[in-house]
Amino acid sequence: MRIEYGAATDVGAVRERNEDSYVARPGVYAVADGMGGHAAGDLASRIAAETVGELSGRDDVQPDDVVAAVHRANAAILQAGRDRPEAAGMGTTLTGIAVLAGGPDGPRAAVFNIGDSRVYLLADGHLEQVTVDHNEVAELVAAGRLSEEQAAVHPLRNVVTRSLGTERRAEPDVLVVALAPGQRFLACSDGLTLELDTAAIGNVLSSVESPEQAAARLVGDAVAAGGRDNVTAVVVDIRA
Ligand code: MG
């Protein structure tokens, strides 16, 4: 099994700074979105991406190691906020894929998430969101109190309920998935999903062969569609 990947990021058409960060290194592919309204969101997202990126190059990673890396990232962001008063209160999302040590049934990865950035999986022509957003609106949808259509325009849709840097302990969701040739994963910040619906994302992922070009095309399309937020995409292909 081979893994090919590509990544792209853009400040967008409105924001002055790009507070998104990503890591795309062998075995670790993740996106972090430093939070708007917080000081130094770009520092928080960079610390998160770098810290989880330290799992790259290992062949013995277990799900607990991914959780521990997220905890280390949270601690490092909190520490950086203590060291620099102007950065206190910064926060970030973090989501992505970490390749795990092979299990008895073959290659595996952990999909991890905290916040409202997302991981999608395209397999057999079908695109599905693997992660669950940690925000007020997604929780209302999950409880059956809002429709997807209502959620898309709801005033609380940007209120993140879990993130790094904002609490002493930050618990990610971790889902172990079996890896198989033909899968294509996408990790992205909400600047992408704000501008492109699932069908548009699926069209690009289904039609652009190279992961590097697919990531660039997604980001370019999101900026062209309005670019109201920073946009980041990491595309990861599992090949035979
Ligand atoms: Mg964002």
Coordinates of all heavy atoms in Angstrom, one line a residue, residues 17 39-40 42-44 46-47 76-90:
R17 N -5.3 37.7 7.8 CA -4.2 36.7 8.1 C -4.8 35.3 7.9 O -6.0 35.1 8.0 CB -3.9 36.8 9.6 CG -3.3 38.1 10.0 CD -3.6 38.3 11.5 NE -2.9 37.4 12.4 CZ -1.7 37.7 12.9 NH1 -1.1 38.8 12.6 NH2 -1.1 36.8 13.7
A39 N -6.9 36.0 20.1 CA -5.6 36.5 19.7 C -4.7 35.3 19.3 O -4.8 34.2 19.8 CB -5.0 37.2 20.9
A40 N -3.9 35.6 18.2 CA -2.8 34.6 17.9 C -3.4 33.2 17.5 O -2.7 32.2 17.8 CB -1.8 34.5 19.0
D42 N -3.2 32.0 14.7 CA -2.3 31.3 13.8 C -1.2 30.6 14.6 O -0.7 29.5 14.2 CB -1.7 32.2 12.8 CG -1.1 33.5 13.4 OD1 -1.5 33.8 14.5 OD2 -0.4 34.2 12.7
L43 N -0.8 31.1 15.7 CA 0.2 30.4 16.6 C -0.4 29.1 17.1 O 0.2 28.1 17.1 CB 0.6 31.4 17.7 CG 1.6 30.8 18.7 CD1 2.9 30.3 18.1 CD2 1.9 31.7 19.9
A44 N -1.6 29.2 17.6 CA -2.3 28.0 18.1 C -2.4 26.9 17.1 O -2.1 25.8 17.4 CB -3.7 28.4 18.7
R46 N -0.6 26.5 14.4 CA 0.7 26.0 14.1 C 1.2 25.0 15.1 O 1.8 24.0 14.8 CB 1.7 27.2 13.9 CG 2.9 26.9 13.1 CD 3.5 28.1 12.5 NE 4.0 29.0 13.6 CZ 3.6 30.3 13.8 NH1 2.7 30.8 13.0 NH2 4.0 31.0 14.7
I47 N 1.1 25.4 16.4 CA 1.5 24.5 17.5 C 0.7 23.1 17.4 O 1.3 22.0 17.5 CB 1.3 25.1 18.9 CG1 2.2 26.3 19.1 CG2 1.5 24.0 20.0 CD1 1.9 27.1 20.3
A76 N 0.7 22.6 25.1 CA 1.7 23.5 24.5 C 1.0 24.8 24.2 O 1.6 25.9 24.3 CB 2.3 22.9 23.3
I77 N -0.2 24.8 23.7 CA -0.9 26.0 23.4 C -1.2 26.8 24.7 O -1.0 28.0 24.7 CB -2.2 25.7 22.6 CG1 -1.9 25.1 21.2 CG2 -3.1 26.9 22.5 CD1 -3.0 24.4 20.6
L78 N -1.7 26.1 25.7 CA -1.9 26.8 27.0 C -0.6 27.4 27.5 O -0.6 28.5 28.0 CB -2.5 25.8 28.0 CG -3.9 25.3 27.7 CD1 -4.3 24.2 28.7 CD2 -4.9 26.5 27.9
Q79 N 0.5 26.7 27.4 CA 1.8 27.2 27.9 C 2.2 28.4 27.1 O 2.6 29.4 27.7 CB 2.9 26.1 27.8 CG 4.2 26.5 28.4 CD 4.1 26.9 29.9 OE1 3.5 26.1 30.7 NE2 4.6 28.0 30.3
A80 N 2.0 28.4 25.8 CA 2.4 29.5 24.9 C 1.5 30.7 25.3 O 2.0 31.9 25.3 CB 2.2 29.2 23.5
G81 N 0.3 30.5 25.7 CA -0.6 31.6 26.1 C -0.1 32.2 27.4 O -0.3 33.4 27.7
R82 N 0.4 31.3 28.3 CA 0.9 31.8 29.6 C 2.2 32.6 29.4 O 2.5 33.6 30.0 CB 1.2 30.7 30.6 CG -0.1 30.1 31.2 CD 0.2 29.2 32.4 NE 0.8 27.9 31.9 CZ 0.1 26.9 31.6 NH1 -1.3 26.9 31.7 NH2 0.7 25.8 31.2
D83 N 3.0 32.2 28.4 CA 4.3 32.8 28.1 C 4.1 34.2 27.5 O 5.0 35.0 27.6 CB 5.2 31.9 27.2 CG 5.6 30.7 27.9 OD1 5.5 30.6 29.2 OD2 6.1 29.7 27.2
R84 N 3.1 34.3 26.7 CA 2.8 35.5 26.0 C 1.5 36.0 26.3 O 0.5 35.6 25.7 CB 2.9 35.3 24.4 CG 4.1 34.5 24.0 CD 4.0 34.2 22.6 NE 4.9 33.2 22.2 CZ 5.5 33.0 21.0 NH1 5.1 33.8 20.1 NH2 6.3 32.0 20.8
P85 N 1.4 37.0 27.1 CA 0.0 37.5 27.5 C -0.8 37.9 26.3 O -2.1 37.7 26.3 CB 0.3 38.7 28.4 CG 1.7 38.5 28.9 CD 2.4 37.7 27.9
E86 N -0.2 38.4 25.3 CA -1.0 38.9 24.1 C -1.6 37.7 23.4 O -2.5 37.9 22.6 CB -0.1 39.7 23.2 CG 0.9 39.0 22.3 CD 2.2 38.6 23.1 OE1 2.3 38.8 24.3 OE2 3.1 38.1 22.4
A87 N -1.1 36.5 23.7 CA -1.6 35.3 23.0 C -2.6 34.5 23.9 O -3.1 33.5 23.5 CB -0.5 34.4 22.5
A88 N -2.8 35.0 25.1 CA -3.7 34.3 26.0 C -5.1 34.1 25.4 O -5.6 35.1 24.8 CB -3.8 35.0 27.3
G89 N -5.7 33.0 25.5 CA -7.0 32.8 25.0 C -7.1 32.3 23.6 O -8.2 32.1 23.0
M90 N -5.9 32.1 23.0 CA -5.9 31.6 21.6 C -6.4 30.2 21.6 O -6.3 29.5 22.6 CB -4.6 31.7 21.0 CG -3.5 30.8 21.6 SD -1.9 31.1 20.9 CE -0.9 30.2 22.1

